[in-house]
Amino acid sequence: MSYKNIFTEIDGPLGIITIDRPKKLNALNRLTIDELRDAFITLDDDDDIRAIIVTGSGEKAFVAGADISEFADFDQEQGRQLAKKGQNDLFDLVAGLSTPVIAAINGFALGGGLELAMASHIRVASTNAKMGLPEVSLGLIPGYGGTQRLPQLVGKGKALEMITTGGMITAEEAFDYRLVNHVVSQEELLSFCESLGKKIARNSPMAIAEAINAVNANYNQSVNGFEVEIKAFGACFGTDDFKEGTGAFLEKRKPDF
């Protein structure tokens, strides 16, 4: 796969996506969003890929927000379409992928960058990471799902504090707020995420996909998450992965999914 603003690598069962606009602190412009969408879909469609890691190139930034120069002169309808397209094409896509996505957050994760990390299923931050949603300082609000996903992760009060102040928090604060799962040194960040991805890769990809769908259902008011879980649980019994997993357990061996 050849891209202009990102590059992808395959490491065994892992797909690694690196956003590569270091001069722009890896800011998200329309081309980068389109390329990320294509890369996520391609890796998710590959049965050999069991986990996806997304990160930013260089030491300064994961993604330092959206590329403001692209929309500074937009009117109301163009702004609405910008948010709608971004959510549909990338952020909701990532959240709903059947392959787990791990965000390796190095440096700044601001605005759309933090929203991309929050759309990911698991977040790991380096000790130098700084996170925030500074949109109100531009006369905007978060438009790529930030007002919805941040309260789900940190609670309403802390989310409103972060959004209304527009300030940044440290990696340790993000861990305390349960915004990130782990904090590691910058040198360890990618290897830690790879180790986490390989742990995931040992398990049933079918069951993982069903688990992601069931957990996501809890945050969709239009569906009954318990019913989704019951249906998915039952469906697992008709799969080869169930036969292999239970067979391996009874035979006291490791399963081969």
Side-chain angles (χ1 to χ4, degrees):
M1 293 176 283
S2 179
Y3 300 107
K4 181 178 180 181
N5 292 340
I6 69 173
F7 61 86
T8 61
E9 305 168 80
I10 305 297
D11 179 10
L14 307 179
I16 304 170
I17 302 173
T18 303
I19 302 162
D20 189 30
R21 302 184 73 209
K23 292 182 179 179
K24 294 286 187 178
L25 295 179
N26 302 324
L28 297 177
N29 61 3
R30 282 172 286 188
L31 176 60
T32 306
I33 287 175
D34 288 343
E35 290 185 347
L36 283 169
R37 172 182 171 81
D38 184 79
F40 275 115
I41 290 174
T42 300
L43 292 172
D44 188 53
D45 286 342
D46 187 337
D47 291 339
D48 293 329
I49 301 299
R50 302 293 182 86
I52 300 169
I53 298 170
V54 59
T55 192
S57 66
E59 299 181 353
K60 293 183 178 180
F62 172 70
V63 174
D67 196 331
I68 298 168
S69 63
E70 283 198 337
F71 58 78
D73 60 350
F74 275 18
D75 60 24
Q76 293 179 22
E77 179 57 24
Q78 288 173 308
R80 190 183 75 84
Q81 290 297 330
L82 177 70
K84 182 178 180 180
K85 186 176 189 304
Q87 287 191 30
N88 291 342
D89 286 359
L90 180 60
F91 297 85
D92 290 348
L93 170 79
V94 170
L97 282 185
S98 59
T99 307
V101 178
I102 303 168
I105 306 169
N106 50 312
F108 293 112
L110 305 176
L114 182 54
E115 288 171 306
L116 177 59
M118 290 191 294
S120 302
H121 303 115
I122 299 169
R123 285 156 294 283
V124 181
S126 61
T127 50
N128 73 322
K130 297 288 181 65
M131 285 159 265
L133 295 174
E135 285 87 348
V136 293
S137 68
L138 301 172
L140 295 170
I141 69 168
Y144 288 149
T147 65
Q148 306 305 298
R149 293 193 175 97
L150 186 60
Q152 291 169 2
L153 292 166
V154 306
K156 180 181 177 181
K158 186 56 67 176
L160 281 171
E161 179 183 343
M162 288 180 62
I163 291 169
T164 58
T165 63
M168 292 185 291
I169 62 173
T170 66
E172 291 297 337
E173 287 173 318
F175 180 76
D176 289 341
Y177 300 163
R178 299 185 180 180
L179 180 54
V180 300
N181 300 62
H182 304 276
V183 177
V184 299
S185 70
Q186 191 166 33
E187 294 76 19
E188 296 175 293
L189 179 62
L190 198 55
S191 62
F192 183 92
C193 290
E194 289 172 347
S195 176
L196 188 58
K198 288 175 181 177
K199 288 181 181 178
I200 292 170
R202 293 198 290 264
N203 297 311
S204 161
M206 178 282 305
I208 287 171
E210 291 288 7
I212 290 172
N213 185 52
V215 170
N216 283 341
N218 181 56
Y219 298 98
N220 186 343
Q221 294 181 354
S222 67
V223 301
N224 184 322
F226 291 99
E227 289 297 328
V228 172
E229 180 184 279
I230 290 167
K231 183 178 179 181
F233 180 77
C236 290
F237 283 77
T239 67
D240 290 338
D241 279 8
F242 172 73
K243 294 176 184 177
E244 171 61 17
T246 54
F249 177 82
L250 294 172
E251 296 165 14
K252 295 181 172 54
R253 62 176 175 83
K254 293 183 178 180
D256 181 17
F257 294 115

